Amino acid sequence: MAQQSVTSYDVAHLAGVSQPTVSRAFDPNGNISPRTREKVLEAAKQLGYEPNAIARGLTTQRTDIVGIIMGNMTRSHFYPPVLVEFTRRLQSLGKQVLLFNSHETRPVDEIMPRIMSYRVDALIIASTTPGRELIDRFTNKGTPVVMLNRIVPETSANAVSSDNVAGARMVADALLDAGHKKLGFLAGVGVTSTNTLRKKGFVDRLHERGCQNILIDQGEYTYDSGYEAGLRLLDRDDPPDGIFCAADIMALGLMDAARFKLGIKIPDELSVIGYDDIPMAKWPTYGLTTIHQSVTKMVETAVDLITPSKDELKTGQVILLPGELVYRSSARKPNKQE
Amino acid sequence: MAQQSVTSYDVAHLAGVSQPTVSRAFDPNGNISPRTREKVLEAAKQLGYEPNAIARGLTTQRTDIVGIIMGNMTRSHFYPPVLVEFTRRLQSLGKQVLLFNSHETRPVDEIMPRIMSYRVDALIIASTTPGRELIDRFTNKGTPVVMLNRIVPETSANAVSSDNVAGARMVADALLDAGHKKLGFLAGVGVTSTNTLRKKGFVDRLHERGCQNILIDQGEYTYDSGYEAGLRLLDRDDPPDGIFCAADIMALGLMDAARFKLGIKIPDELSVIGYDDIPMAKWPTYGLTTIHQSVTKMVETAVDLITPSKDELKTGQVILLPGELVYRSSARKPNKQE
């Protein structure tokens, strides 16, 4: 059923050049005279030849494929727009995204050999954390690696992250300035730097300002876990009156538990502040006050790191992007003192 | 900076076999004796050789890359989980997803040559509609194509779709059986089959049952467009008391416009039914009654079509998956007559 494809050898024959010359004609950076390129392209057109990106990857050592590993992409609702933005931006640079899914409960390291076998030009890692040695195997081969919102010390990977500590400190100040005294923090899962740094920034700043009364609970970066944690944090005699959630998606679940299950008025009886600024945060039913992270800026910065001019491989760079506190209606404002 | 890679020729030399034998050893379907394969794998291990999926693609005519084109993936909130499920399922079959983004306002056909150049083993097209000729170029080369939730007549592509007509007829019956008389339909964008068939099923069934009083408006498969359409449909002297939205995401926007902007009680004064069953539909603030489409089933069916046993290329098959009406709290139930 498959038609016989026209090969670069057929084109070379018709154009009267060698096969490597055909490859160079189709490589935007190929070293070839304009006149020869035109001759090759004309022959290719006559024969209906389509250049083979895969085969070109073997000769140019460039596949125009960028690997992206995403773990649990759909849970927090922050990463799908990130993926779309990467796909758009890389595609406009002539590169495509090859997607890898890291298993929920198994280490991401298991799939790294598979990723290596595809000879990706660069690797982007989002919402999952591979081991240092595996990252080094990529950078040792000249393949740049960027981690998003994860910082692993002493690794050759680059990192682009929201400035989680600074953002969380802003939230602490906002809640204290609004007159809140009993504060809560809803953490995300485990030992990720996103989670650790948001907690550290928030708790340290509260301590600096003399607030020791902090109730801490943990969710899993999902709506449901935020809802459940909301019940645990708020269904007690002495509940907090201001809560910082390490991710918007958990804040939405917590708000719904507070409003619809416990009858708590927001923001009159409870201020809720999130982190991320996912699309739902600005829906009128939520109006979530949150730290805005710019998806566009994050992707742009990451793409710059993996597509450097010339052959300069970037390693170990950590770029922190400042977040911005966006006030909506889920938290009392500092000037509205009781 | 890049290390010199060990090649399959080095492995062949050490194992005392030919280079094509090394390729066959790393191909799960390669024709090779267990003893020779073991010898090759042992040599590869000694040298630290990693098989090159890209190079293998040239010899086996199989790249283990499946292209997925997604247009506006994040808007409806239905497709990100679909993409995750495809990535998971294909990865477990030893294949990876290469992602292509179709431009919002330009025809998807523009990127088809790029997709061809990557020599994908199969192509999945979601939420966008390419021309017939381009699809035929893939199937003529033996590359199976599956469209999701889009049906293009007389094409060689396969299609896996929710049974939109049957689902929309169920919604019409549900609203009429609950006693609603003035009905509204909020359509999605343009000429997609999803949109056309959901409208056709709904309107035809209402006409069959003698209901001619149907108000029709149009959104763009986004929350904001649903909110705006909600204001247009409901802020009038004689508003509909039951509305079917062609996608959940628009239903959520419409509900918020009704509740928070116009003060309309749901479901007492207005029943709203959606289509898709996205994760937010079951959040307590919405409790959206909707037609459930199974992402797992849809992806499983599509993957079966592109990974047939043997070399049997499937073309032009249309598989409709039945949806299911899930009652939550946004619509009155048939037995709760007024």
Side-chain angles (χ1 to χ4, degrees), chain B residues 88-112:
Chain B
R88 266 194 201 137
R89 193 169 285 261
L90 289 168
Q91 192 167 293
S92 76
L93 297 172
K95 295 174 187 299
Q96 300 299 144
V97 166
L98 191 67
L99 204 54
F100 295 85
N101 191 250
S102 69
H103 196 279
E104 304 226 358
T105 54
R106 293 216 300 263
V108 61
D109 294 9
E110 279 185 11
I111 59 165
M112 293 302 244

PDB file of all heavy atoms in Angstrom, chain B residues 88-112:
ATOM      1  N   ARG B  88       0.814   8.656  27.569  1.00  0.00           N
ATOM      2  CA  ARG B  88       0.978   7.495  28.446  1.00  0.00           C
ATOM      3  C   ARG B  88       0.842   6.189  27.690  1.00  0.00           C
ATOM      4  O   ARG B  88       1.661   5.297  27.782  1.00  0.00           O
ATOM      5  CB  ARG B  88      -0.141   7.494  29.499  1.00  0.00           C
ATOM      6  CG  ARG B  88       0.260   8.153  30.755  1.00  0.00           C
ATOM      7  CD  ARG B  88      -0.748   7.811  31.853  1.00  0.00           C
ATOM      8  NE  ARG B  88      -0.619   8.828  32.874  1.00  0.00           N
ATOM      9  CZ  ARG B  88      -1.611   9.415  33.499  1.00  0.00           C
ATOM     10  NH1 ARG B  88      -2.860   9.049  33.253  1.00  0.00           N
ATOM     11  NH2 ARG B  88      -1.390  10.336  34.388  1.00  0.00           N
ATOM     12  N   ARG B  89      -0.245   6.096  26.943  1.00  0.00           N
ATOM     13  CA  ARG B  89      -0.569   4.826  26.300  1.00  0.00           C
ATOM     14  C   ARG B  89       0.432   4.511  25.180  1.00  0.00           C
ATOM     15  O   ARG B  89       0.901   3.375  25.069  1.00  0.00           O
ATOM     16  CB  ARG B  89      -1.993   4.879  25.747  1.00  0.00           C
ATOM     17  CG  ARG B  89      -2.558   3.548  25.325  1.00  0.00           C
ATOM     18  CD  ARG B  89      -4.043   3.649  25.048  1.00  0.00           C
ATOM     19  NE  ARG B  89      -4.787   3.730  26.281  1.00  0.00           N
ATOM     20  CZ  ARG B  89      -5.399   2.674  26.844  1.00  0.00           C
ATOM     21  NH1 ARG B  89      -5.358   1.497  26.269  1.00  0.00           N
ATOM     22  NH2 ARG B  89      -6.057   2.819  27.970  1.00  0.00           N
ATOM     23  N   LEU B  90       0.774   5.508  24.381  1.00  0.00           N
ATOM     24  CA  LEU B  90       1.732   5.272  23.294  1.00  0.00           C
ATOM     25  C   LEU B  90       3.120   4.976  23.858  1.00  0.00           C
ATOM     26  O   LEU B  90       3.831   4.102  23.365  1.00  0.00           O
ATOM     27  CB  LEU B  90       1.761   6.470  22.346  1.00  0.00           C
ATOM     28  CG  LEU B  90       0.502   6.622  21.480  1.00  0.00           C
ATOM     29  CD1 LEU B  90       0.467   7.979  20.789  1.00  0.00           C
ATOM     30  CD2 LEU B  90       0.402   5.491  20.448  1.00  0.00           C
ATOM     31  N   GLN B  91       3.497   5.704  24.919  1.00  0.00           N
ATOM     32  CA  GLN B  91       4.804   5.466  25.534  1.00  0.00           C
ATOM     33  C   GLN B  91       4.907   4.021  26.029  1.00  0.00           C
ATOM     34  O   GLN B  91       5.962   3.394  25.928  1.00  0.00           O
ATOM     35  CB  GLN B  91       4.999   6.449  26.687  1.00  0.00           C
ATOM     36  CG  GLN B  91       6.406   6.512  27.230  1.00  0.00           C
ATOM     37  CD  GLN B  91       6.595   7.729  28.142  1.00  0.00           C
ATOM     38  OE1 GLN B  91       6.550   8.880  27.705  1.00  0.00           O
ATOM     39  NE2 GLN B  91       6.790   7.494  29.418  1.00  0.00           N
ATOM     40  N   SER B  92       3.812   3.490  26.554  1.00  0.00           N
ATOM     41  CA  SER B  92       3.836   2.108  27.038  1.00  0.00           C
ATOM     42  C   SER B  92       3.963   1.115  25.878  1.00  0.00           C
ATOM     43  O   SER B  92       4.332  -0.038  26.070  1.00  0.00           O
ATOM     44  CB  SER B  92       2.588   1.805  27.872  1.00  0.00           C
ATOM     45  OG  SER B  92       1.480   1.639  27.009  1.00  0.00           O
ATOM     46  N   LEU B  93       3.665   1.585  24.663  1.00  0.00           N
ATOM     47  CA  LEU B  93       3.844   0.749  23.470  1.00  0.00           C
ATOM     48  C   LEU B  93       5.175   1.055  22.778  1.00  0.00           C
ATOM     49  O   LEU B  93       5.407   0.632  21.639  1.00  0.00           O
ATOM     50  CB  LEU B  93       2.701   0.994  22.474  1.00  0.00           C
ATOM     51  CG  LEU B  93       1.292   0.624  22.941  1.00  0.00           C
ATOM     52  CD1 LEU B  93       0.250   1.115  21.935  1.00  0.00           C
ATOM     53  CD2 LEU B  93       1.171  -0.881  23.150  1.00  0.00           C
ATOM     54  N   GLY B  94       6.047   1.817  23.448  1.00  0.00           N
ATOM     55  CA  GLY B  94       7.357   2.121  22.862  1.00  0.00           C
ATOM     56  C   GLY B  94       7.325   3.246  21.848  1.00  0.00           C
ATOM     57  O   GLY B  94       8.231   3.378  21.024  1.00  0.00           O
ATOM     58  N   LYS B  95       6.275   4.055  21.860  1.00  0.00           N
ATOM     59  CA  LYS B  95       6.172   5.172  20.907  1.00  0.00           C
ATOM     60  C   LYS B  95       6.053   6.492  21.665  1.00  0.00           C
ATOM     61  O   LYS B  95       5.565   6.524  22.785  1.00  0.00           O
ATOM     62  CB  LYS B  95       4.939   4.993  20.020  1.00  0.00           C
ATOM     63  CG  LYS B  95       5.020   3.765  19.118  1.00  0.00           C
ATOM     64  CD  LYS B  95       3.720   3.539  18.374  1.00  0.00           C
ATOM     65  CE  LYS B  95       3.745   2.219  17.622  1.00  0.00           C
ATOM     66  NZ  LYS B  95       4.822   2.143  16.607  1.00  0.00           N
ATOM     67  N   GLN B  96       6.519   7.566  21.037  1.00  0.00           N
ATOM     68  CA  GLN B  96       6.414   8.877  21.673  1.00  0.00           C
ATOM     69  C   GLN B  96       5.610   9.819  20.802  1.00  0.00           C
ATOM     70  O   GLN B  96       5.542   9.654  19.585  1.00  0.00           O
ATOM     71  CB  GLN B  96       7.796   9.475  21.910  1.00  0.00           C
ATOM     72  CG  GLN B  96       8.711   8.645  22.797  1.00  0.00           C
ATOM     73  CD  GLN B  96       8.198   8.409  24.206  1.00  0.00           C
ATOM     74  OE1 GLN B  96       8.411   7.345  24.778  1.00  0.00           O
ATOM     75  NE2 GLN B  96       7.527   9.383  24.778  1.00  0.00           N
ATOM     76  N   VAL B  97       5.047  10.824  21.466  1.00  0.00           N
ATOM     77  CA  VAL B  97       4.203  11.802  20.795  1.00  0.00           C
ATOM     78  C   VAL B  97       5.022  13.016  20.367  1.00  0.00           C
ATOM     79  O   VAL B  97       5.712  13.615  21.189  1.00  0.00           O
ATOM     80  CB  VAL B  97       3.078  12.262  21.750  1.00  0.00           C
ATOM     81  CG1 VAL B  97       2.394  13.518  21.212  1.00  0.00           C
ATOM     82  CG2 VAL B  97       2.075  11.144  21.970  1.00  0.00           C
ATOM     83  N   LEU B  98       4.968  13.358  19.073  1.00  0.00           N
ATOM     84  CA  LEU B  98       5.566  14.598  18.566  1.00  0.00           C
ATOM     85  C   LEU B  98       4.421  15.583  18.347  1.00  0.00           C
ATOM     86  O   LEU B  98       3.483  15.294  17.610  1.00  0.00           O
ATOM     87  CB  LEU B  98       6.321  14.336  17.264  1.00  0.00           C
ATOM     88  CG  LEU B  98       7.221  15.471  16.751  1.00  0.00           C
ATOM     89  CD1 LEU B  98       8.404  15.714  17.687  1.00  0.00           C
ATOM     90  CD2 LEU B  98       7.759  15.151  15.350  1.00  0.00           C
ATOM     91  N   LEU B  99       4.530  16.722  19.025  1.00  0.00           N
ATOM     92  CA  LEU B  99       3.397  17.624  19.103  1.00  0.00           C
ATOM     93  C   LEU B  99       3.482  18.738  18.064  1.00  0.00           C
ATOM     94  O   LEU B  99       4.522  19.373  17.904  1.00  0.00           O
ATOM     95  CB  LEU B  99       3.388  18.228  20.509  1.00  0.00           C
ATOM     96  CG  LEU B  99       2.084  18.757  21.060  1.00  0.00           C
ATOM     97  CD1 LEU B  99       0.986  17.712  21.002  1.00  0.00           C
ATOM     98  CD2 LEU B  99       2.313  19.185  22.504  1.00  0.00           C
ATOM     99  N   PHE B 100       2.388  18.972  17.391  1.00  0.00           N
ATOM    100  CA  PHE B 100       2.299  20.064  16.424  1.00  0.00           C
ATOM    101  C   PHE B 100       1.130  20.952  16.817  1.00  0.00           C
ATOM    102  O   PHE B 100       0.060  20.470  17.163  1.00  0.00           O
ATOM    103  CB  PHE B 100       2.084  19.530  15.006  1.00  0.00           C
ATOM    104  CG  PHE B 100       3.239  18.721  14.499  1.00  0.00           C
ATOM    105  CD1 PHE B 100       3.340  17.366  14.785  1.00  0.00           C
ATOM    106  CD2 PHE B 100       4.246  19.324  13.754  1.00  0.00           C
ATOM    107  CE1 PHE B 100       4.415  16.618  14.332  1.00  0.00           C
ATOM    108  CE2 PHE B 100       5.318  18.586  13.296  1.00  0.00           C
ATOM    109  CZ  PHE B 100       5.408  17.225  13.581  1.00  0.00           C
ATOM    110  N   ASN B 101       1.380  22.242  16.746  1.00  0.00           N
ATOM    111  CA  ASN B 101       0.351  23.191  17.120  1.00  0.00           C
ATOM    112  C   ASN B 101      -0.166  23.837  15.852  1.00  0.00           C
ATOM    113  O   ASN B 101       0.620  24.381  15.078  1.00  0.00           O
ATOM    114  CB  ASN B 101       1.003  24.245  18.029  1.00  0.00           C
ATOM    115  CG  ASN B 101      -0.015  25.131  18.695  1.00  0.00           C
ATOM    116  OD1 ASN B 101      -0.128  26.296  18.375  1.00  0.00           O
ATOM    117  ND2 ASN B 101      -0.782  24.568  19.595  1.00  0.00           N
ATOM    118  N   SER B 102      -1.471  23.760  15.625  1.00  0.00           N
ATOM    119  CA  SER B 102      -1.968  24.432  14.428  1.00  0.00           C
ATOM    120  C   SER B 102      -2.295  25.870  14.784  1.00  0.00           C
ATOM    121  O   SER B 102      -2.802  26.172  15.857  1.00  0.00           O
ATOM    122  CB  SER B 102      -3.184  23.704  13.867  1.00  0.00           C
ATOM    123  OG  SER B 102      -4.282  23.828  14.720  1.00  0.00           O
ATOM    124  N   HIS B 103      -1.968  26.748  13.890  1.00  0.00           N
ATOM    125  CA  HIS B 103      -2.125  28.176  14.124  1.00  0.00           C
ATOM    126  C   HIS B 103      -3.606  28.535  14.239  1.00  0.00           C
ATOM    127  O   HIS B 103      -4.437  27.994  13.536  1.00  0.00           O
ATOM    128  CB  HIS B 103      -1.484  28.935  12.961  1.00  0.00           C
ATOM    129  CG  HIS B 103      -1.245  30.375  13.239  1.00  0.00           C
ATOM    130  ND1 HIS B 103      -2.230  31.306  13.126  1.00  0.00           N
ATOM    131  CD2 HIS B 103      -0.145  31.027  13.659  1.00  0.00           C
ATOM    132  CE1 HIS B 103      -1.735  32.493  13.440  1.00  0.00           C
ATOM    133  NE2 HIS B 103      -0.468  32.343  13.762  1.00  0.00           N
ATOM    134  N   GLU B 104      -3.901  29.473  15.136  1.00  0.00           N
ATOM    135  CA  GLU B 104      -5.301  29.794  15.424  1.00  0.00           C
ATOM    136  C   GLU B 104      -6.069  30.248  14.194  1.00  0.00           C
ATOM    137  O   GLU B 104      -7.228  29.900  14.004  1.00  0.00           O
ATOM    138  CB  GLU B 104      -5.385  30.922  16.458  1.00  0.00           C
ATOM    139  CG  GLU B 104      -4.648  30.597  17.743  1.00  0.00           C
ATOM    140  CD  GLU B 104      -5.478  30.931  18.968  1.00  0.00           C
ATOM    141  OE1 GLU B 104      -6.602  31.441  18.806  1.00  0.00           O
ATOM    142  OE2 GLU B 104      -5.002  30.660  20.066  1.00  0.00           O
ATOM    143  N   THR B 105      -5.416  31.050  13.361  1.00  0.00           N
ATOM    144  CA  THR B 105      -6.175  31.649  12.271  1.00  0.00           C
ATOM    145  C   THR B 105      -5.723  31.167  10.895  1.00  0.00           C
ATOM    146  O   THR B 105      -6.333  31.495   9.904  1.00  0.00           O
ATOM    147  CB  THR B 105      -6.039  33.190  12.318  1.00  0.00           C
ATOM    148  OG1 THR B 105      -4.648  33.506  12.339  1.00  0.00           O
ATOM    149  CG2 THR B 105      -6.694  33.764  13.560  1.00  0.00           C
ATOM    150  N   ARG B 106      -4.636  30.368  10.851  1.00  0.00           N
ATOM    151  CA  ARG B 106      -4.185  29.895   9.552  1.00  0.00           C
ATOM    152  C   ARG B 106      -4.538  28.423   9.383  1.00  0.00           C
ATOM    153  O   ARG B 106      -4.633  27.686  10.351  1.00  0.00           O
ATOM    154  CB  ARG B 106      -2.669  30.108   9.410  1.00  0.00           C
ATOM    155  CG  ARG B 106      -2.330  31.602   9.364  1.00  0.00           C
ATOM    156  CD  ARG B 106      -1.171  31.910   8.434  1.00  0.00           C
ATOM    157  NE  ARG B 106       0.038  31.240   8.818  1.00  0.00           N
ATOM    158  CZ  ARG B 106       1.020  31.782   9.540  1.00  0.00           C
ATOM    159  NH1 ARG B 106       0.893  33.015   9.980  1.00  0.00           N
ATOM    160  NH2 ARG B 106       2.099  31.110   9.815  1.00  0.00           N
ATOM    161  N   PRO B 107      -4.738  27.962   8.131  1.00  0.00           N
ATOM    162  CA  PRO B 107      -5.162  26.579   7.938  1.00  0.00           C
ATOM    163  C   PRO B 107      -4.083  25.601   8.406  1.00  0.00           C
ATOM    164  O   PRO B 107      -2.891  25.864   8.255  1.00  0.00           O
ATOM    165  CB  PRO B 107      -5.397  26.471   6.434  1.00  0.00           C
ATOM    166  CG  PRO B 107      -4.694  27.629   5.834  1.00  0.00           C
ATOM    167  CD  PRO B 107      -4.645  28.699   6.864  1.00  0.00           C
ATOM    168  N   VAL B 108      -4.528  24.485   8.975  1.00  0.00           N
ATOM    169  CA  VAL B 108      -3.613  23.475   9.488  1.00  0.00           C
ATOM    170  C   VAL B 108      -2.762  22.890   8.359  1.00  0.00           C
ATOM    171  O   VAL B 108      -1.655  22.405   8.585  1.00  0.00           O
ATOM    172  CB  VAL B 108      -4.393  22.383  10.247  1.00  0.00           C
ATOM    173  CG1 VAL B 108      -5.379  21.690   9.331  1.00  0.00           C
ATOM    174  CG2 VAL B 108      -3.468  21.364  10.881  1.00  0.00           C
ATOM    175  N   ASP B 109      -3.266  22.971   7.117  1.00  0.00           N
ATOM    176  CA  ASP B 109      -2.549  22.409   5.967  1.00  0.00           C
ATOM    177  C   ASP B 109      -1.131  22.958   5.838  1.00  0.00           C
ATOM    178  O   ASP B 109      -0.235  22.289   5.343  1.00  0.00           O
ATOM    179  CB  ASP B 109      -3.313  22.688   4.661  1.00  0.00           C
ATOM    180  CG  ASP B 109      -4.645  21.942   4.639  1.00  0.00           C
ATOM    181  OD1 ASP B 109      -5.010  21.385   5.693  1.00  0.00           O
ATOM    182  OD2 ASP B 109      -5.295  21.925   3.600  1.00  0.00           O
ATOM    183  N   GLU B 110      -0.935  24.205   6.319  1.00  0.00           N
ATOM    184  CA  GLU B 110       0.391  24.816   6.206  1.00  0.00           C
ATOM    185  C   GLU B 110       1.480  24.006   6.894  1.00  0.00           C
ATOM    186  O   GLU B 110       2.629  24.019   6.465  1.00  0.00           O
ATOM    187  CB  GLU B 110       0.374  26.216   6.846  1.00  0.00           C
ATOM    188  CG  GLU B 110      -0.190  27.281   5.949  1.00  0.00           C
ATOM    189  CD  GLU B 110      -0.066  28.666   6.579  1.00  0.00           C
ATOM    190  OE1 GLU B 110       0.629  28.812   7.607  1.00  0.00           O
ATOM    191  OE2 GLU B 110      -0.679  29.594   6.043  1.00  0.00           O
ATOM    192  N   ILE B 111       1.140  23.335   7.998  1.00  0.00           N
ATOM    193  CA  ILE B 111       2.196  22.626   8.726  1.00  0.00           C
ATOM    194  C   ILE B 111       2.312  21.159   8.317  1.00  0.00           C
ATOM    195  O   ILE B 111       3.191  20.450   8.780  1.00  0.00           O
ATOM    196  CB  ILE B 111       2.030  22.716  10.259  1.00  0.00           C
ATOM    197  CG1 ILE B 111       0.688  22.129  10.710  1.00  0.00           C
ATOM    198  CG2 ILE B 111       2.193  24.141  10.750  1.00  0.00           C
ATOM    199  CD1 ILE B 111       0.645  21.858  12.202  1.00  0.00           C
ATOM    200  N   MET B 112       1.424  20.690   7.429  1.00  0.00           N
ATOM    201  CA  MET B 112       1.460  19.283   7.052  1.00  0.00           C
ATOM    202  C   MET B 112       2.793  18.847   6.432  1.00  0.00           C
ATOM    203  O   MET B 112       3.285  17.760   6.748  1.00  0.00           O
ATOM    204  CB  MET B 112       0.289  18.954   6.128  1.00  0.00           C
ATOM    205  CG  MET B 112      -1.072  19.044   6.807  1.00  0.00           C
ATOM    206  SD  MET B 112      -1.251  17.954   8.252  1.00  0.00           S
ATOM    207  CE  MET B 112      -2.538  16.855   7.677  1.00  0.00           C
TER     208      MET B 112
END
